Amino acid sequence: MTSWSVSGEYMESCNCDYLCPCIYTNPQGEVTHDHCIALMVYRIDKGSYGDVSLVGLKFALVIHSNKVMADGDWIFACIADEDADDAQRAALTEILSGRAGGRPAMIHDNLVGDFRGIAFAPISFEMDGLDRATDAGLFSFAISGVASRTGSGEVISIDNVSHPANSRLALARTRELHLDGFDLKLDMSGMGNNGHFAPFAWSN
């Protein structure tokens, strides 16, 4: 199996109320609605697949779970950066499909019931203080970190969570969220639903 590693920044929005029950129930609690739709975007600041550099590329995950995320049977799909060249596209496909091992393989092997494939699209990743925003072609969202009232200007974070990106997540609320792809559709604006951001590091 080809050796790979990627690290950088991640951000997320989901349709659950703030704070998402999955985060503090490991994730055994019931989601806010009948199902959860979570959208995650990852920016690779350092990384490679074998000899293929993946620096500067982005990828996104689309998750649709039932009432309890840990029960699995997810609808799952991925978006890979349209800016990738042929070798980079092949590398991202191996990683995101789970065939190359690591965290995506764990997700596929244990939680996915319906894999709807990998699409290629331009993906933006904007950071401005505690604000984050992305447009990944088939979805977009904008979130704002929840600032501590200590006056430090730093975001409130939660530690030791079970999450594919990081065990420490910044807490955020969503300004808007839109999804129209993989036979899934969702539009939410001004509802303050859940969001997160953090550094991430994956490898096989």
Side-chain angles (χ1 to χ4, degrees):
M1 184 178 292
T2 301
S3 177
W4 64 270
S5 64
V6 291
S7 61
E9 295 287 334
Y10 127 94
M11 61 173 140
E12 172 182 0
S13 175
C14 79
N15 67 322
C16 286
D17 292 347
Y18 172 87
L19 176 64
C20 175
C22 297
I23 298 302
Y24 57 85
T25 62
N26 279 329
Q28 306 293 325
E30 294 186 346
V31 301
T32 303
H33 306 289
D34 290 336
H35 58 265
C36 177
I37 292 179
L39 310 175
M40 303 179 187
V41 179
Y42 295 78
R43 186 189 70 199
I44 302 171
D45 297 331
K46 181 179 179 181
S48 61
Y49 176 89
D51 295 332
V52 179
S53 173
L54 301 176
V55 174
L57 297 178
K58 307 167 194 75
F59 62 90
L61 309 181
V62 178
I63 297 168
H64 177 291
S65 80
N66 295 315
K67 195 69 174 174
V68 177
M69 288 199 80
D71 288 347
D73 198 28
W74 293 359
I75 297 171
F76 185 67
C78 306
I79 302 171
D81 200 329
E82 192 177 69
D83 288 340
D85 62 25
D86 289 346
Q88 291 169 327
R89 287 187 177 215
L92 289 173
T93 297
E94 289 300 300
I95 293 170
L96 297 176
S97 68
R99 294 193 294 266
R103 194 60 55 87
M106 181 278 293
I107 294 172
H108 280 275
D109 293 346
N110 296 286
L111 296 168
V112 175
D114 179 0
F115 180 46
R116 298 193 175 175
I118 302 169
F120 285 86
I123 303 174
S124 65
F125 195 110
E126 301 174 17
M127 299 172 56
D128 182 11
L130 299 186
D131 291 340
R132 303 286 188 275
T134 183
D135 187 334
L138 300 178
F139 73 74
S140 63
F141 64 79
I143 61 176
S144 294
V146 179
S148 169
R149 293 187 65 186
T150 62
S152 66
E154 295 184 359
V155 69
I156 298 174
S157 297
I158 187 167
D159 283 310
N160 300 318
V161 299
S162 175
H163 190 281
N166 200 315
S167 62
R168 177 180 173 85
L169 300 177
L171 305 187
R173 306 192 76 158
T174 300
R175 303 193 302 275
E176 59 177 318
L177 178 161
H178 308 283
L179 166 66
D180 190 359
F182 305 107
D183 292 324
L184 300 171
K185 189 174 180 64
L186 180 64
D187 286 291
M188 302 179 75
S189 295
M191 298 179 66
N193 43 300
N194 192 68
H196 299 289
F197 55 85
F200 84 99
W202 290 356
S203 62
N204 66 346

